[in-house]
Amino acid sequence: MKHMFFFCLLTATLFFSCQNDSPRSAYVLGTLCTVNAFSDGNDRLYDELFSRLEQIDDRFSLTKADSDISRINRGAGIEAVTVHDEVFFLVKNALAYAAVTEGAFDPTIGAVTSLWGFNSEKPSLPKANLLSAALPLVDYKSLVLDEEKKSVFLTKKGMALDLGGIAKGYAADQLAERLRKHRVKRAIIDLGGNILTYGTKADGSLWRVGIKNPLDPTGEAILVLSLSASAVVTSGVYERNFEADGIFYHHIINPKTGFPVENDLLSVTVICDSSMKADALTTALFVLGKEKGMDFAKSQNLSVVFIDKKGNIIKNYYEN
């Protein structure tokens, strides 16, 4: 789960409470989403922002039968499916991230993730035969896009897109666009832990974002970042997990094995100017592991924070 503590949120809410700057929250995109536009917040703005989130959910949902993603998955191995422009845009970007990470992030992982059921109330260990059958269907190179027709084709029957590792990031960026349109001065967007700080704080100071301690998720932050407007996204093993026969299973699946990633990492945080990019690359970096992940981050001038199983913090920063 991409999840962060936002320390400035409580401070800002108390400081600005006399201006009636209440944030709004709603359950959408499969998670609790909160937006605080502070002194620029009003019902009309929040209605528009949350309506936009609902629209994105309608187009990218895995559970809504009439979503573009569901239609693409039903057409796998049968036919190309023409989709909305923004769906084509996000699938195209997801494919690009799959290519640059050599499949560490793979949007065609849906056939495998559906077996684990981490998005349900009762995730469970998949049957070995079903997992073995699904694993060859995870293959981003078998995802074909037609730019002219705006169509998407999964060439193998049984393949399935799952954009859960990038859609919330895209949604946060879309809300930021709406804030710019309305000339909002400052805001915090929290889409189930995908954090985006927008504009500048009223006192001119930097935003402060705390990263959860994966060894003590309910305790104090292990690190507090001071940032200008940024997207901050974390992938960690401490959310969405279960135990079976004494073995711990978490939701970050390795596309090459079909099982939860096994390496020295507990969480990966990416800080950059695009929530969509941060969302996709946290997953990829976790899959790559500490050494390969850090090498990749440096090659991309990417600001990251890794926390390993001993609680060590390994970080690398660049100016956004």
Side-chain angles (χ1 to χ4, degrees):
M1 173 77 88
K2 294 6 183 217
H3 196 75
M4 307 286 298
F5 277 126
F6 215 107
F7 291 97
C8 67
L9 181 59
L10 178 59
T11 303
T13 301
L14 293 174
F15 182 79
F16 288 105
S17 61
C18 62
Q19 299 178 23
N20 195 27
D21 316 316
S22 298
R24 181 183 292 187
S25 298
Y27 194 84
V28 63
L29 297 172
T31 191
L32 181 65
C33 298
T34 302
V35 181
N36 191 345
F38 300 103
S39 58
D40 291 320
N42 56 63
D43 286 342
R44 184 175 180 180
L45 174 67
Y46 289 136
D47 285 348
E48 179 178 333
L49 295 177
F50 281 87
S51 175
R52 182 71 177 106
L53 288 180
E54 292 285 357
Q55 184 182 61
I56 292 171
D57 191 36
D58 287 343
R59 289 172 178 162
F60 292 99
S61 173
L62 282 170
T63 59
K64 297 179 180 180
D66 58 350
S67 75
D68 278 6
I69 300 305
S70 293
R71 294 194 304 111
I72 292 168
N73 292 345
R74 285 197 299 272
I78 302 172
E79 61 182 357
V81 176
T82 301
V83 298
H84 189 276
D85 285 352
E86 76 169 342
V87 175
F88 188 87
F89 170 83
L90 190 56
V91 173
K92 182 178 179 180
N93 275 272
L95 188 58
Y97 289 124
V100 75
T101 63
E102 297 182 346
F105 172 82
D106 194 325
T108 67
I109 201 169
V112 167
T113 55
S114 64
L115 296 176
W116 286 91
F118 278 107
N119 291 320
S120 68
E121 293 183 0
K122 292 185 178 180
S124 60
L125 183 65
K127 292 183 179 179
N129 64 321
L130 296 180
L131 194 56
S132 295
L135 198 55
L137 302 176
V138 181
D139 179 14
Y140 70 92
K141 294 179 181 179
S142 296
L143 172 59
V144 178
L145 306 183
D146 188 318
E147 188 84 42
E148 184 176 346
K149 296 180 180 178
K150 293 292 187 293
S151 67
V152 180
F153 184 36
L154 297 170
T155 59
K156 301 177 183 178
K157 194 169 182 62
M159 286 184 73
L161 283 179
D162 182 347
L163 298 182
I166 192 172
K168 283 194 299 179
Y170 171 76
D173 289 338
Q174 287 296 296
L175 294 193
E177 285 294 325
R178 294 297 175 101
L179 295 174
R180 278 187 280 273
K181 170 187 170 184
H182 291 287
R183 299 182 181 180
V184 171
K185 294 183 287 296
R186 62 192 61 87
I188 298 166
I189 299 169
D190 179 353
L191 305 186
N194 281 44
I195 303 296
L196 191 150
T197 59
Y198 171 89
T200 57
K201 292 175 68 176
D203 62 2
S205 64
L206 295 174
W207 298 101
R208 288 170 57 78
V209 182
I211 298 177
K212 266 191 175 185
N213 182 350
L215 295 171
D216 183 16
T218 61
E220 294 185 0
I222 196 169
L223 180 67
V224 178
L225 307 174
S226 294
L227 304 165
S228 57
S230 303
V232 184
V233 182
T234 298
S235 287
V237 303
Y238 45 83
E239 299 286 355
R240 287 195 292 163
N241 54 64
F242 67 93
E243 284 193 16
D245 297 325
I247 300 175
F248 176 81
Y249 297 98
H250 61 80
H251 79 288
I252 307 172
I253 304 297
N254 186 332
K256 293 178 173 57
T257 67
F259 275 85
V261 176
E262 293 185 23
N263 59 31
D264 194 35
L265 293 174
L266 292 181
S267 74
V268 172
T269 299
V270 173
I271 306 102
C272 66
D273 59 358
S274 165
S275 187
M276 175 181 70
K277 179 179 180 180
D279 206 3
L281 292 184
T282 53
T283 301
L285 293 176
F286 201 108
V287 171
L288 289 171
K290 188 160 58 177
E291 288 77 20
K292 290 183 179 179
M294 185 58 74
D295 288 344
F296 178 86
K298 290 179 178 178
S299 74
Q300 301 292 313
N301 294 332
L302 196 64
S303 294
V304 297
V305 177
F306 293 174
I307 302 173
D308 67 18
K309 290 181 178 179
K310 295 181 179 179
N312 296 316
I313 300 172
I314 306 98
K315 54 187 178 180
N316 184 64
Y317 287 119
Y318 293 92
E319 292 294 329
N320 287 345

